[in-house]
């Protein structure tokens, strides 16, 4: 007894299945990649935001650290004070300066990352 063979299976494919599919690129990213005028405006806005942040952080650090000599000049007894046997000016310059710079750096990095994340989100939506 032989079993009747059913119809032979045939695979039907599109002639374009082997062609590479184009990835969908957000318009904002494409504008930047193609260096169009709009892409230049996007990048200029990012650079300006980062520059404003940089100048603000540097300004605050200079104001805080620049006020130390002013303190010594305006309040002369501060120059001769001692804490734990060390002169106060040495304590301020040797210890206080580093936390100020560290905090300023942390604030800068956190805000720079926020600016870049907002920029990436904005450009990705375009």
């Amino acid at each position: 007894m032989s079993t009747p063979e059913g119809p032979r299976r045939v695979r039907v494919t599109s002639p374009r299945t082997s062609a590479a599919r184009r990835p969908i690129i957000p318009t904002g990213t494409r504008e930047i990649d193609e260096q169009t005028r709009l892409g230049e405006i996007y990048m200029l806005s990012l650079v300006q935001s980062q520059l404003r942040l940089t100048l603000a952080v540097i300004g605050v650090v200079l104001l805080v650290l620049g006020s130390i000599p002013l303190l010594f000049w305006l309040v002369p007894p501060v120059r001769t004070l001692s804490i734990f046997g060390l002169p106060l000016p040495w304590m301020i310059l040797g210890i206080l300066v580093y936390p100020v710079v560290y905090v300023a750096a942390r604030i800068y990095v956190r805000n720079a990352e926020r600016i870049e994340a907002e920029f990436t989100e904005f450009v990705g939506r375009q």
Side-chain angles (χ1 to χ4, degrees):
M1 219 188 256
S2 80
T3 59
E5 291 187 31
R8 198 169 145 214
R9 296 183 117 191
V10 177
R11 183 175 180 189
V12 179
T13 61
S14 168
R16 296 201 32 96
T17 54
S18 63
R21 295 182 186 245
R22 284 185 155 176
I24 299 173
I25 300 174
T27 306
T29 307
R30 187 171 49 239
E31 296 290 336
I32 292 170
D33 289 342
E34 294 175 1
Q35 297 179 354
T36 63
R37 180 68 184 135
L38 182 58
E40 288 178 19
I41 292 171
Y42 285 156
M43 291 307 297
L44 182 63
S45 72
L46 174 64
V47 169
Q48 285 176 342
S49 296
Q50 290 175 336
L51 181 62
R52 271 192 305 275
L53 173 64
T54 302
L55 293 176
V57 170
I58 287 174
V60 169
V61 169
L62 286 177
L63 183 67
V64 170
L65 297 181
S67 66
I68 294 172
L70 187 62
L71 171 71
F72 295 148
W73 182 66
L74 291 176
V75 187
V78 173
R79 291 184 247 168
T80 59
L81 283 176
S82 290
I83 298 177
F84 302 117
L86 291 173
L88 183 61
W90 286 23
M91 295 286 283
I92 291 174
L93 295 173
I95 297 173
L96 183 66
V97 170
Y98 296 104
V100 170
V101 172
Y102 177 77
V103 168
R106 293 285 298 201
I107 290 170
Y108 175 79
V109 168
R110 185 170 18 116
N111 286 318
E113 288 174 348
R114 179 187 51 81
I115 289 170
E116 289 177 10
E118 288 173 358
F119 177 78
T120 302
E121 181 183 339
F122 174 74
V123 170
R125 283 187 281 154
Q126 296 299 316

